Amino acid sequence: MTKDGHERHLGINYLAHFLLTHLLLPRLGARRPSRVVNVVSAAQDALDFDDLMLEHGYNGYRAYGRSKVAQAMLTLDLAEEHAGAGITAHCLHPGTHLDTTMVRRAGISPAGSADSGAEAVVALTTPDDTTGGYFNVRRPSRAHPQVYDREARRTLRTVSLRLAGLDHSA
């Protein structure tokens, strides 16, 4: 758990991105065209809104996968909300077990270079008219089914606004 009481993977991989993106939206809107590219993972697990912080049956891999689903949900929300307004958003899985500190510390033999993952990210920064895509490296693909569930995304957005201190309705 973070000092704020958030499950660490969710806090770092998702809530921090959620907050930063929302704080940057006015600048993104002023500098059109703008692009948001979120690096997610193919390791994805459905969110459980009754136990978002995984207080029951904690599992680090499940926590990681849930945080990555949340990131993909944020990306799709941004794409839909700003479609046609000059802000596009995509997310991608940059590759499996790339040569990063996280992979090496886990004792996993890298299966690809960090440079190849970076190249996949940079490729999505090239302006075009598409938005809301999920890519597996450079190939259009499909994220976890929950990412495409508008009601689940609405619930996540509502909870996230509160958790990030952006809900001023209370």
Side-chain angles (χ1 to χ4, degrees):
M1 299 298 272
T2 66
K3 291 178 185 178
D4 296 326
H6 305 136
E7 188 283 318
R8 188 169 302 279
H9 290 90
L10 190 72
I12 293 168
N13 292 339
Y14 168 68
L15 285 172
H17 293 97
F18 177 87
L19 177 59
L20 179 62
T21 301
H22 279 77
L23 293 174
L24 290 174
L25 276 175
R27 289 189 179 265
L28 291 172
R31 298 185 52 99
R32 294 181 185 150
S34 297
R35 292 183 80 71
V36 174
V37 177
N38 284 320
V39 177
V40 299
S41 174
Q44 300 175 12
D45 202 349
L47 296 172
D48 176 355
F49 293 107
D50 293 327
D51 188 20
L52 195 59
M53 299 302 162
L54 269 166
E55 296 175 85
H56 308 286
Y58 181 82
N59 176 292
Y61 289 108
R62 188 171 353 140
Y64 177 81
R66 287 180 176 188
S67 72
K68 295 304 182 174
V69 161
Q71 274 185 296
M73 292 168 84
L74 166 63
T75 306
L76 200 57
D77 264 357
L78 287 168
E80 287 183 3
E81 182 180 343
H82 300 284
I87 300 173
T88 58
H90 292 295
C91 59
L92 84 151
H93 165 64
T96 301
H97 298 145
L98 300 181
D99 190 6
T100 63
T101 302
M102 181 177 80
V103 168
R104 288 189 307 273
R105 282 187 181 160
I108 299 169
S109 295
S113 73
D115 287 345
S116 68
E119 289 166 3
V121 173
V122 170
L124 286 178
T125 65
T126 304
D128 64 21
D129 293 334
T130 65
T131 189
Y134 170 78
F135 293 82
N136 186 342
V137 186
R138 292 185 185 212
R139 294 177 312 280
S141 191
R142 296 283 294 173
H144 187 282
Q146 191 180 38
V147 171
Y148 305 98
D149 180 338
R150 281 193 169 99
E151 183 61 26
R153 291 199 324 262
R154 185 197 61 75
T155 299
L156 179 62
R157 183 174 46 252
T158 300
V159 170
S160 301
L161 287 167
R162 181 179 46 80
L163 292 173
L166 297 174
D167 181 9
H168 303 295
S169 64

